[in-house]
Amino acid sequence: MSDQKLIEVENLKVYFPIHGKGLFRREIGAVKAVDGLSFYINKGETLGLVGESGSGKTTVGRALLRALDPTEGQVTFYLDDGQTVDVTALKGKDLRNFRRYMQLIFQDPRSSLNPRMTVRDIIAEPLVANKLEKGKAVDEKVRETAALCKLNLEHLRRFPHAFSGGQRQRVGIARALVSNPKFIVCDESVSALDVSIQAEILNLLMELQEELGVTYLFIAHDLSVVAHISDRVAVMYVGQLVELAATEELFFSPKHPYTEALLSAIPEVDPDLAMKPVILRGEIPNPANPPPGCRFHTRCPYAEDICKTDQPVWQEIEPEHFVACHFADTLQLKGVVADTAAENGRNT
Amino acid sequence: MMEWNVDTNEKEMGMATAVSNNKLLEVTDLGVTFKTDEGLVRAVDGISFTAHKGKTLGIVGESGSGKSVTAQSIMRLLPNSAMIDEDSSIAFYRDSGPIEITSLDNRSQKMRELRGGDIAMIFQEPMSSFSPVYTIGNQIMEAILQHRNVSKQEAREIAIDMLDKVGIANPAVRVDQYPFELSGGMRQRAMIAVALSTRPSLLIADEPTTALDVTIQAQILELMRGLKDEFDMSIIFITHDLGVIAQVAQEIVVMYLGKAMERGTAKDVLGNPQHPYTVSLLGAIPKLGTLGGRLTPVGGDIPSPLQRPSGCPFHTRCKQKIEGVCDVDPPGITRVSDTHTVYCYLYE
């Protein structure tokens, strides 16, 4: 991992218009799925993105890949040769040519693979579509990538239905990697897998990163998985970032009450460690009509009057630790308790 | 409503009543086979466990382990293609005497009274378990009118009271709303209200929090814990999430391909796991206290249910497999302590 930036996102907004019922279906509002995000991702790192359903995590991933057109904001890509590309401004052929650098690994390996294509054809698709390789070279590249993803090369002529969930997800990963992308969005890529299979896929993703130096945006709702794979973690709430920091920093000393509540709600696999969740009242607000002020104030146990009216500023309160909260400096929040016993065990 | 007829089964089992003072449900050698076009699928292969009064029994397993089929057998909700073994026994101990559930016809009056009356169930997806065309109140009242001798007006009052008990604000308004008007967490609360409105002594919860966000999951688990004591009932909690099971269950059954691999108190199974499957499952989940490092995957894939491995079902993935033993005959059940048993040759 280097400190060189690969992607810089500035004030990213994605609004989905809501249309009225009348004849002209006039626009009567918008779902502010992503509302003003600014962050960057370094080369070769994994940035975890967590949040409850409806917080807009998937929309962020899609907008970075230009699978969705952002309403506002800029996404800048820094290529190895010093070139900078404004992804939001790319059009037509330029955009199509650029897509090989950005790939997506989906959640459900069952529905994201075409049942009528052989595994070989599925993996070769990005090469063929982008006209990156021709003839024999396609086969060679497919075999090389499939081997990297620990797929059995004899099975390349089979169809996806013949594979188990874990193997199908490997096919999905191979398809994402075949065009030598710089940046991969993993959108809940291990959520549909059983625990025993999930560990393998996580290890594979980590190995591939070491070998190929790809950068991941790892979107998931499972905080333990995100903690495990990410170098830095960003927390989203109703379309906005509330906190972003290095994984240890965020999990052991969170600065935002929402992060604290999320962390306290993770059930630990230890019957002696009783879960003491910061019970959040109510549910996540509707992004079409977000609450004024800090969006979390309706559920925040520490909320005061200022939170209801003023939106907190996204600020760097410690080096590399960003948070948006009026009381980030004064609140004493509880993070995850570090497992010192296991830590010592590993050192000795 | 009506007096229970003492049938032959209860007479035969009358002897057991004296010793079963704190037993509520006793499953012995339950086996379930499905007839499919591709052949016979053995979903549950001789499992035994006991749910005690006022306790939570956790059943944990990956997909295909037979945990949901076990629940459906207790409720007698299995499809027609399923056959329960002749020698299986599911004994439910009412105050008035034990009832053998396997010998009841699943359409009989008695079974209909048990199902939803003495034994209630909540499911994973609250949206698909509610009918979209009836109001929430209507669906709670249906359960109450079916099982309790009250008037419609009284049933409505009970329904509003139940919605209040499960923490739904404005129950008098919500009672007339349709399921789509409620959020996911609220729907699951309403589902619990339906289940508890008949005052069951046993609640079967099949992955009740899997579709929910962690903060909502924490709310629901807290709610279930409180209601369990308030209503003095037992819970059978089925999940694939070892973290959740550690937080709710006093006793745990670990299932794999229809077999109970390990049984014991939560401390026994999670703190002192004996079966190689339990050990490797615990090694495969990322832990929050210790970040970084690699996970140890279980390795291999879950075998197809059509091709059950001979001997111990886990031998195809077991790192401690004894060649010529584990793959030939099924192991016996070995006692580790008074509360802890394991299904493995290593301890025989």
Side-chain angles (χ1 to χ4, degrees), chain B residues 68-269:
Chain B
S68 291
V69 174
T70 305
Q72 287 164 5
S73 317
I74 298 170
M75 293 292 273
R76 295 298 298 277
L77 286 173
L78 290 168
N80 290 336
S81 60
M83 298 172 295
I84 298 181
D85 287 4
E86 293 280 324
D87 56 351
S88 301
S89 153
I90 303 173
F92 181 70
Y93 297 91
R94 297 186 99 205
D95 292 339
S96 53
I99 301 166
E100 175 54 49
I101 291 179
T102 50
S103 67
L104 296 175
D105 184 80
N106 54 15
R107 285 195 184 81
S108 65
Q109 179 66 23
K110 201 165 202 176
M111 194 59 232
R112 294 185 62 163
E113 276 169 26
L114 276 179
R115 185 194 298 132
D118 294 81
I119 311 176
M121 188 162 177
I122 53 177
F123 303 88
Q124 172 173 349
E125 225 332 300
M127 192 63 206
S128 48
S129 331
F130 275 116
S131 164
V133 296
Y134 292 99
T135 61
I136 295 288
N138 207 315
Q139 298 184 55
I140 303 179
M141 282 162 64
E142 184 189 353
I144 299 170
L145 291 171
Q146 180 80 249
H147 294 282
R148 285 167 75 171
N149 201 4
V150 291
S151 70
K152 262 195 159 172
Q153 191 51 42
E154 283 168 308
R156 189 179 155 86
E157 272 155 32
I158 297 173
I160 294 174
D161 182 49
M162 280 315 300
L163 286 176
D164 187 44
K165 278 214 165 70
V166 296
I168 289 181
N170 289 333
V173 178
R174 294 290 185 191
V175 77
D176 291 321
Q177 290 190 326
Y178 290 90
F180 76 88
E181 295 176 88
L182 272 60
S183 67
M186 265 205 281
R187 260 182 240 132
Q188 196 57 288
R189 284 172 189 268
M191 182 89 200
I192 295 173
V194 176
L196 300 191
S197 61
T198 58
R199 310 229 151 216
S201 46
L202 177 65
L203 176 70
I204 302 178
D206 190 358
E207 305 260 12
T209 59
T210 307
L212 305 174
D213 284 310
V214 275
T215 56
I216 310 295
Q217 167 172 290
Q219 289 174 0
I220 298 288
L221 293 181
E222 196 73 26
L223 173 73
M224 288 179 70
R225 204 173 310 167
L227 291 173
K228 178 173 82 88
D229 296 338
E230 192 182 331
F231 285 75
D232 188 30
M233 58 179 182
S234 311
I235 299 179
I236 295 182
F237 199 106
I238 298 173
T239 180
H240 69 281
D241 189 324
L242 288 157
V244 170
I245 214 87
Q247 297 302 322
V248 299
Q250 280 92 46
E251 281 175 81
I252 295 177
V253 180
V254 181
M255 284 187 76
Y256 182 77
L257 286 185
K259 282 274 185 201
M261 307 309 265
E262 191 159 357
R263 260 173 71 190
T265 63
K267 270 190 194 166
D268 289 339
V269 174

Side-chain angles (χ1 to χ4, degrees), chain A residues 52-53 164 167 194-197 199-200 202-203 206-207 210 223-225 227-228 247-248 251-252 262 265-275 277 279-280 282-283 299 336-339 342-343 346, chain B residues 62-63 183-186 213-219 221-222 225 240-244 246-247 266-267 270-271 281-282 284-302 317:
Chain A
E52 291 176 273
S53 45
S164 67
Q167 284 170 317
D194 273 308
V195 192
S196 67
I197 310 295
E200 267 174 54
L202 283 175
N203 282 352
M206 287 163 92
E207 277 163 33
E210 274 166 30
L223 289 137
S224 348
V225 168
H228 183 75
T247 309
E248 277 92 8
F251 278 78
F252 295 146
L262 266 188
I266 310 171
E268 288 262 11
V269 191
D270 184 349
D272 295 333
L273 263 184
M275 189 163 72
I279 296 282
L280 290 182
E283 314 211 1
R299 300 170 79 193
V336 173
V337 182
D339 193 345
E343 214 50 68
R346 205 192 291 161
Chain B
E62 298 181 281
S63 46
S183 67
M186 265 205 281
D213 284 310
V214 275
T215 56
I216 310 295
Q217 167 172 290
Q219 289 174 0
L221 293 181
E222 196 73 26
R225 204 173 310 167
H240 69 281
D241 189 324
L242 288 157
V244 170
Q247 297 302 322
K267 270 190 194 166
L270 300 172
L281 207 55
L282 286 167
I285 45 172
K287 280 167 209 69
L288 277 176
T290 50
L291 298 171
R294 284 285 152 89
L295 300 169
T296 325
V298 177
D301 274 314
I302 302 171
R317 305 170 75 189

Side-chain angles (χ1 to χ4, degrees), chain A residues 54-99:
Chain A
S55 61
K57 351 182 251 301
T58 297
T59 311
V60 172
R62 301 273 151 110
L64 294 194
L65 297 174
R66 275 297 295 280
L68 279 173
D69 286 333
T71 314
E72 221 183 294
Q74 220 175 24
V75 179
T76 317
F77 224 92
Y78 298 94
L79 291 179
D80 284 335
D81 52 16
Q83 216 183 320
T84 58
V85 179
D86 180 1
V87 182
T88 40
L90 288 176
K91 275 197 190 114
K93 209 175 163 201
D94 290 338
L95 177 61
R96 237 173 321 174
N97 285 339
F98 194 73
R99 287 204 188 275

Side-chain angles (χ1 to χ4, degrees), chain A residues 70-330:
Chain A
T71 314
E72 221 183 294
Q74 220 175 24
V75 179
T76 317
F77 224 92
Y78 298 94
L79 291 179
D80 284 335
D81 52 16
Q83 216 183 320
T84 58
V85 179
D86 180 1
V87 182
T88 40
L90 288 176
K91 275 197 190 114
K93 209 175 163 201
D94 290 338
L95 177 61
R96 237 173 321 174
N97 285 339
F98 194 73
R99 287 204 188 275
R100 57 173 294 202
Y101 295 114
M102 317 182 287
Q103 288 290 345
L104 176 64
I105 303 172
F106 296 88
Q107 168 172 0
D108 185 4
R110 212 168 284 266
S111 54
S112 61
L113 303 179
N114 186 338
R116 291 171 184 251
M117 285 168 85
T118 61
V119 165
R120 183 244 167 230
D121 289 344
I122 289 171
I123 301 177
E125 182 88 351
L127 295 177
V128 178
N130 290 312
K131 301 191 180 73
L132 296 177
E133 305 277 2
K134 271 192 191 133
K136 273 231 164 94
V138 175
D139 268 323
E140 244 166 62
K141 184 72 193 164
V142 167
R143 293 178 76 84
E144 186 191 312
T145 317
L148 260 181
C149 297
K150 299 187 183 140
L151 279 166
N152 191 335
L153 297 183
E154 285 160 27
H155 296 167
L156 286 180
R157 264 193 279 164
R158 297 191 185 177
F159 289 91
H161 72 85
F163 291 85
S164 67
Q167 284 170 317
R168 272 186 221 157
Q169 197 57 293
R170 286 170 197 278
V171 175
I173 295 172
R175 173 177 61 185
L177 282 173
V178 79
S179 63
N180 286 335
K182 303 274 175 242
F183 175 59
I184 297 181
V185 174
C186 307
D187 193 355
E188 301 275 10
S189 303
V190 298
S191 312
L193 304 174
D194 273 308
V195 192
S196 67
I197 310 295
Q198 176 181 300
E200 267 174 54
I201 299 295
L202 283 175
N203 282 352
L204 176 68
L205 287 171
M206 287 163 92
E207 277 163 33
L208 290 170
Q209 183 170 52
E210 274 166 30
E211 233 162 283
L212 308 170
V214 287
T215 305
Y216 296 130
L217 177 69
F218 194 90
I219 301 171
H221 67 279
D222 186 330
L223 289 137
S224 348
V225 168
V226 170
H228 183 75
I229 196 168
S230 308
D231 299 302
R232 296 190 303 143
V233 176
V235 183
M236 258 188 108
Y237 188 75
V238 200
Q240 294 183 332
L241 285 179
V242 295
E243 189 165 3
L244 193 162
T247 309
E248 277 92 8
E249 183 75 18
L250 188 109
F251 278 78
F252 295 146
S253 48
K255 297 285 181 208
H256 197 286
Y258 179 60
T259 315
E260 182 191 41
L262 266 188
L263 294 176
S264 73
I266 310 171
E268 288 262 11
V269 191
D270 184 349
D272 295 333
L273 263 184
M275 189 163 72
K276 289 200 190 70
V278 177
I279 296 282
L280 290 182
R281 284 161 293 149
E283 314 211 1
I284 187 163
N286 181 356
N289 186 18
C294 172
R295 294 190 175 179
F296 187 54
H297 85 256
T298 53
R299 300 170 79 193
C300 182
Y302 310 99
E304 295 191 22
D305 285 342
I306 181 176
C307 305
K308 292 176 192 158
T309 50
D310 294 11
Q311 226 184 81
V313 188
W314 179 242
Q315 52 176 339
E316 190 169 4
I317 61 158
E318 273 165 31
E320 296 293 299
H321 195 148
F322 300 85
V323 61
C325 175
H326 291 297
F327 301 101
D329 296 322
T330 48

